[in-house]
Amino acid sequence: MVLSMSRPQLHPRTRTYWLRKRVPADLVAVVGRKEVTLSLGTKDQAEAKRRYVVELSKLEAQWETLRNGPLSLTEREAHEIAGALHDRWLSRYRDEPSAQTFWPVDVGARVFTRRAWDQSLSPVENLTAAEPAFARLLQLEQWCSAAADEELLARGLRTDPDGHRKVAKAIGAAVQRASLTLQRMAKGELLADPPPPISALPARSSAHKPLQSASESKTGKVVDTAARVTLSGLVEKWWLEAEKAGKSPSTRESYTNTMRNLGAFLKHDNATQVTFEDVIAFKDHRLASTGRSGKPISSRTVKNSDLAGLKSVFGWAVANRLLSENPALGVTVQSGARVRMRDPSFTTEEATAILRAALDHPRGTELAQTYAAKRWVPWLLAFTGARVGEIVQMRRQDLRKVKIEGHPGDTWVLTITPEAGTVKTKQAREVPLHPQLIDLGFAAFVENSSDERFFLVPDAKGGVAGPLQGVKNRLGEFARKQVSDPGVSPNHGWRHRFRSVAIEAGVPEMVIDAICGWAPRNVGGRYGSVLQKPRADAIARLPWIKLSANETQLTSD
């Protein structure tokens, strides 16, 4: 039998050739995935075959390096790794040297050394006396460390801690040298005999071969990405792999919005032209912007959504040879503890107002699914402790009747599952429904409904991410009409309240965590599971909610 040779694969949508290679079983734990995918950056079959051989050779060399375990690098090897970054730094700013503002040479000279600080002062006095410069110094050192991770990863190298520190220090020295050169160029000084690029220095003996730049092939030529890499296209390429790795559609939507906002801010869509300064300017722009609510965008949102998205997508692009470096690397934003002026859960009066409005909500002309969401979702949130998206994406098949010991008749059980849409923990869980929900007619509503989705209409492709967010927004607006206090979330306030009510009813915390999908609080909590009976017992202990016709007061049996 003739075995087929591995070869480039044509992507069905982009029509670009890719390399796909299964990671050897002994390296899966080290690499962190079972398969490597890499765009070859061309639609020409002959060129794809040539690049495939080059990239496959690199990949197999990296795997061999990983098999040999962590390397102990010499200082010379570390400087060879950093040399490529030195050359790229000069190349990036050569035409406009004064545009290099990320690396201040006065602070950069002190990276990875404390000799510049006054040794006669105590650490506290030192920090107080030079806090801005000290903070910038630490930021540059963190950037060098992250850049070392990226450069080593691009070469498939694993080093011991000492080797990693040598690379980080070498990168700091390389960028400092390049920045000093650019500073002289910005002043108009002509370097009569400029030093050769470090990457052009003579190679060592065959026993110590120079380490290649992430942007160079074995021939010494820059790896050609063949086509202009767009911000919008980059997210789509990232998602092809991220989806298989278990990333949620909501993450894709968030990162797509971030890239769209970045493109609108920069007024172009070319990912290869994005610089460190662009990302910093975009960060400042976002911090000065307001959201749809009219409130300023928080530093937490900029850090955990915008910058996280840029770092992830650009980092993936570097690892897959689509970009030479990650322009978001090292960019951060300070964020402190959120100021809280009140308890995050609904008060009795607030819960009463929303639930009464849900019962009295008129049919009107809105979609049947939107009407049903306003009618039932607040009550379901009150008795399940679920996240609003987990309820809105509910499907008919997620509800069933089961026999549970100690509970007469059938008990309706809701399965909250990633198959329905997005679940933050990516783990399914079961929540028995409270008898009052059945008494109010929710079971009858389910049995009489002919649609698979009760509270939303999937888009033309069957997706639910966009429609889900729309319904969540409308539910938030609906609740906000009853509870105007900005200190409580109009949807998430139910999740906080559920825990408070359950604790007051004497439900064990382990059972509350299982119902709400919270992680165990200790290692012991990861063993065993909370079965249906204790979950049903816990839900049954929650007090019935009574809304008096004459009072805006919530009482219980």
Side-chain angles (χ1 to χ4, degrees):
M1 181 178 68
V2 178
L3 297 177
S4 61
M5 297 287 289
S6 58
R7 56 190 175 187
Q9 296 187 22
L10 187 63
H11 192 280
R13 184 171 59 81
T14 64
R15 310 306 295 173
T16 300
Y17 284 94
W18 282 66
L19 178 152
R20 293 183 62 185
K21 186 71 173 177
R22 184 176 295 277
V23 177
D26 61 319
L27 294 178
V28 169
V30 177
V31 177
R33 49 183 171 170
K34 295 182 178 180
E35 185 182 63
V36 171
T37 57
L38 171 67
S39 173
L40 297 174
T42 182
K43 298 182 180 181
D44 180 79
Q45 186 178 27
E47 177 63 15
K49 289 180 179 179
R50 186 190 68 78
R51 296 185 186 186
Y52 183 88
V53 173
V54 173
E55 295 299 333
L56 183 59
S57 177
K58 286 185 189 177
L59 190 60
E60 291 176 343
Q62 292 173 4
W63 287 344
E64 185 61 30
T65 300
L66 293 176
R67 283 194 177 95
N68 294 332
L71 299 174
S72 295
L73 298 178
T74 66
E75 289 187 356
R76 178 171 179 175
E77 288 172 326
H79 283 295
E80 285 176 349
I81 292 174
L85 187 55
H86 170 277
D87 298 347
R88 295 201 302 270
W89 201 263
L90 279 179
S91 176
R92 165 171 282 187
Y93 297 107
R94 188 178 299 278
D95 293 335
E96 297 289 343
S98 61
Q100 195 295 109
T101 58
F102 172 79
W103 188 277
V105 294
D106 55 336
V107 180
R110 300 169 181 154
V111 168
F112 294 111
T113 176
R114 297 292 180 268
R115 293 192 302 272
W117 304 106
D118 189 342
Q119 301 298 322
S120 65
L121 297 177
S122 69
V124 173
E125 290 172 326
N126 245 324
L127 183 59
T128 303
E131 185 173 358
F134 187 77
R136 184 58 177 153
L137 176 65
L138 293 180
Q139 184 183 35
L140 293 181
E141 289 182 355
Q142 291 170 358
W143 181 86
C144 290
S145 180
D149 288 336
E150 183 177 315
E151 294 296 327
L152 290 167
L153 177 63
R155 294 164 177 78
L157 296 176
R158 280 199 304 158
T159 68
D160 53 27
D162 180 63
H164 182 276
R165 180 170 178 80
K166 286 178 180 178
V167 175
K169 292 176 67 175
I171 286 175
V175 176
Q176 174 71 4
R177 289 195 307 276
S179 298
L180 285 170
T181 300
L182 291 169
Q183 187 180 68
R184 294 181 63 188
M185 292 172 64
K187 294 178 180 178
E189 297 181 19
L190 298 178
L191 304 180
D193 188 19
I198 290 182
S199 59
L201 292 176
R204 296 178 296 173
S205 65
S206 59
H208 299 282
K209 295 180 180 179
L211 298 166
Q212 292 179 330
S213 163
S215 61
E216 295 176 350
S217 69
K218 291 193 173 183
T219 62
K221 296 181 179 179
V222 175
V223 175
D224 181 17
T225 56
R228 178 172 169 266
V229 182
T230 64
L231 295 172
S232 53
L234 207 55
V235 180
E236 292 304 310
K237 291 179 180 179
W238 164 84
W239 175 246
L240 290 175
E241 185 173 322
E243 183 179 22
K244 295 179 181 179
K247 296 294 184 181
S248 67
S250 60
T251 299
R252 176 192 186 184
E253 182 181 14
S254 173
Y255 289 7
T256 299
N257 289 337
T258 293
M259 284 296 188
R260 185 183 301 115
N261 290 336
L262 177 62
F265 171 73
L266 298 177
K267 295 182 174 56
H268 71 76
D269 194 37
N270 193 336
T272 62
Q273 293 181 2
V274 180
T275 66
F276 298 115
E277 289 74 16
D278 289 337
V279 176
I280 292 172
F282 176 65
K283 175 199 71 172
D284 295 339
H285 164 73
R286 290 286 288 164
L287 289 171
S289 302
T290 56
R292 289 184 299 181
S293 64
K295 298 178 182 178
I297 296 173
S298 69
S299 59
R300 187 182 299 269
T301 297
V302 175
K303 179 179 180 179
N304 297 337
S305 182
D306 293 317
L307 291 182
L310 294 179
K311 290 176 181 179
S312 294
V313 176
F314 284 140
W316 174 88
V318 171
N320 286 272
R321 305 295 198 274
L322 296 175
L323 295 178
S324 61
E325 56 189 329
N326 184 342
L329 196 63
V331 181
T332 186
V333 60
Q334 296 183 11
S335 60
R338 184 177 300 176
V339 177
R340 180 178 292 174
M341 304 301 294
R342 55 159 290 172
D343 190 281
S345 64
F346 289 126
T347 65
T348 296
E349 292 74 18
E350 290 168 340
T352 301
I354 296 173
L355 295 177
R356 168 57 65 189
L359 285 179
D360 295 340
H361 183 60
R363 174 65 179 83
T365 59
E366 61 192 355
L367 288 174
Q369 288 81 358
T370 303
Y371 165 74
K374 294 178 180 178
R375 170 65 179 81
W376 289 112
V377 171
W379 282 91
L380 287 163
L381 295 176
F383 279 124
T384 63
R387 301 174 182 87
V388 63
E390 295 172 338
I391 297 299
V392 172
Q393 68 193 19
M394 183 192 304
R395 305 169 301 172
R396 170 179 295 280
Q397 58 265 42
D398 298 331
L399 288 158
R400 71 185 196 281
K401 291 187 287 186
V402 300
K403 295 286 187 182
I404 299 179
E405 181 184 353
H407 294 263
D410 294 327
T411 299
W412 281 87
V413 175
L414 165 64
T415 300
I416 296 174
T417 171
E419 291 181 347
T422 298
V423 176
K424 187 174 183 179
T425 61
K426 298 181 175 62
Q427 297 182 5
R429 67 183 190 276
E430 293 189 335
V431 183
L433 297 187
H434 193 277
Q436 188 172 3
L437 290 171
I438 311 305
D439 187 69
L440 286 171
F442 181 66
F445 162 75
V446 170
E447 292 175 332
N448 293 330
S449 177
S450 59
D451 297 320
E452 179 191 26
R453 305 274 183 173
F454 304 124
F455 305 127
L456 61 79
V457 179
D459 60 28
K461 296 181 180 179
V464 299
L468 175 65
Q469 187 59 52
V471 176
K472 287 165 62 177
N473 292 341
R474 285 188 281 275
L475 284 170
E477 294 166 358
F478 175 75
R480 191 57 83 198
K481 291 180 180 178
Q482 314 303 323
V483 180
S484 60
D485 189 342
V488 61
S489 168
N491 289 326
H492 211 62
W494 289 115
R495 192 160 162 85
H496 289 283
R497 180 174 177 80
F498 178 89
R499 185 176 190 85
S500 301
V501 172
I503 290 175
E504 187 175 357
V507 179
E509 290 206 11
M510 182 177 180
V511 179
I512 297 175
D513 291 344
I515 291 173
C516 294
W518 282 307
R521 299 172 182 274
N522 51 54
V523 175
R526 300 174 190 170
Y527 292 84
S529 59
V530 178
L531 303 178
Q532 279 188 346
K533 186 178 186 309
R535 295 181 193 229
D537 292 344
I539 294 296
R541 296 183 71 168
L542 301 179
W544 280 53
I545 298 173
K546 288 186 177 180
L547 301 178
S548 171
N550 300 319
E551 301 175 286
T552 57
Q553 181 180 2
L554 179 148
T555 59
S556 60
D557 287 334

